Amino acid sequence: MFPSNWSGTSKYTGMFQATKAILREEGLAGFWRGNVPALLMVMPYNAIQFTVQHKLKTFAAGSSKTEDHIRLSPYLSFVSGSLAGCAATVGSYPFDLLRTILASQGEPKVYPNMKSALVDIVRTRGFRGLYAGLLPTLVEIVPYAGLHFSTYDTFKRWTMVWNRNRVSNSSLFGTEDELSSFQQFLCGLMAGTCAKLVCHPLDVVKKRFQIEGLQRHPRYGTRVEHHAYRNMIHAVRQILQLEGWAGLYKGIVPSTVKAAPATAITFVAYEYTSVWLKSTLT
């Protein structure tokens, strides 16, 4: 499965050590490795996700009003978020694959840019290669996107109740059911943290499928050969056998540090954009 020179010892042993090593070896540009496909992924992903989620909530609530959406049960919020996440993943997956490969290749680089990676994947694995690891990604996105939206809605409801209990200070918040941008940010921050902490092991498995066959230097960690894993269950067993439980939580700190504020900013931007569009179009 792994080459004979594979070592279980990774080049990076922690977030701060990795930060210093990347800065020393690659400069500031190293922190933006894979940023172009990441941006190309984020734009259609969020557009599809929020559009589908809004449509599903409108169908479930029988209304397109935000105040009616927030009253939906956590179960319906979870289901609508999961389905929206699946639709967005299918629509933007090739960019997610390219982002992961470019960010994981290390030095010396296997691919100098996104175009070379795209051409090589299509040449060696065909167009199906652009969807390598899609199934484990969908398995991961169902709980992740579901928790993403259901916990955000739950935190929003709790914050509204808290605002109502502060009627004497309601002038600070506007109407009692209106959340400030800071409150929205905190709700998104907590939602992103909860979803990432719960689903990170599935994200690790997903990325192992995405980097199958990537001939990076062994010092950057596991070099996964083509068809190293038969399925997700086999992948989990292999990770546990070779790396222990810690293998399923590799990178959880930087991943959470990235995901939590990104989720918060995304939700705040969505809330403000929705209000702006409604006021502009009506």
Side-chain angles (χ1 to χ4, degrees):
M1 178 187 303
F2 303 109
S4 58
N5 64 344
W6 177 79
S7 171
T9 302
S10 174
K11 175 182 175 66
Y12 303 126
T13 57
M15 187 171 70
F16 293 109
Q17 180 268 337
T19 300
K20 291 179 181 178
I22 293 172
L23 185 61
R24 182 178 64 253
E25 297 173 8
E26 305 173 50
L28 286 173
F31 294 107
W32 276 265
R33 190 193 301 152
N35 190 48
V36 173
L39 291 174
L40 292 174
M41 179 204 76
V42 165
M43 290 186 287
Y45 181 89
N46 282 326
I48 296 170
Q49 179 176 238
F50 281 106
T51 299
V52 173
Q53 193 254 1
H54 181 78
K55 292 293 184 182
L56 291 172
K57 278 191 169 183
T58 298
F59 174 78
S63 169
S64 62
K65 296 180 179 179
T66 303
E67 53 267 29
D68 294 323
H69 290 181
I70 199 66
R71 296 190 183 98
L72 289 174
S73 68
Y75 169 75
L76 288 175
S77 292
F78 183 92
V79 172
S80 63
S82 296
L83 293 175
C86 287
T89 297
V90 173
S92 61
Y93 187 77
F95 294 115
D96 184 29
L97 178 71
L98 291 170
R99 174 195 64 168
T100 301
I101 288 175
L102 291 176
S104 303
Q105 62 183 340
E107 294 288 344
K109 292 179 179 179
V110 179
Y111 303 114
N113 51 51
M114 184 176 69
K115 180 181 178 181
S116 64
L118 175 64
V119 170
D120 185 66
I121 291 171
V122 173
R123 179 178 58 82
T124 57
R125 292 188 270 176
F127 283 100
R128 290 183 60 183
L130 294 174
Y131 285 88
L134 177 61
L135 181 58
T137 301
L138 291 175
V139 171
E140 179 226 0
I141 208 64
V142 167
Y144 181 76
L147 287 171
H148 202 215
F149 284 102
S150 61
T151 53
Y152 178 69
D153 287 344
T154 299
F155 287 132
K156 280 182 67 176
R157 283 195 297 271
W158 289 351
T159 306
M160 287 177 181
V161 172
W162 185 78
N163 283 350
R164 293 191 192 107
N165 292 333
R166 292 173 56 89
V167 175
S168 60
N169 294 327
S170 61
S171 60
L172 297 175
F173 301 96
T175 62
E176 59 188 22
D177 282 341
E178 183 180 330
L179 274 63
S180 68
S181 58
F182 180 67
Q183 288 177 324
Q184 291 171 348
F185 182 86
L186 289 179
C187 290
L189 192 72
M190 291 185 289
T193 301
C194 291
K196 175 53 67 175
L197 291 178
V198 171
C199 301
H200 185 76
L202 292 173
D203 188 49
V204 170
V205 174
K206 175 197 80 172
K207 284 183 168 59
R208 293 295 175 91
F209 278 95
Q210 289 181 326
I211 63 171
E212 277 190 340
L214 180 63
Q215 298 301 308
R216 64 180 181 180
H217 195 282
R219 71 172 180 270
Y220 287 96
T222 308
R223 183 190 291 179
V224 186
E225 302 297 342
H226 281 300
H227 309 299
Y229 306 123
R230 295 192 295 271
N231 49 53
M232 285 192 70
I233 296 177
H234 180 243
V236 172
R237 288 176 176 171
Q238 288 295 313
I239 292 172
L240 289 175
Q241 180 182 345
L242 294 170
E243 304 168 53
W245 284 97
L248 292 174
Y249 290 90
K250 281 186 174 180
I252 190 170
V253 173
S255 184
T256 304
V257 169
K258 165 187 170 288
T263 299
I265 294 170
T266 299
F267 273 121
V268 172
Y270 171 73
E271 300 278 11
Y272 271 84
T273 302
S274 296
V275 171
W276 178 76
L277 286 174
K278 287 178 182 178
S279 63
T280 302
L281 300 176
T282 56

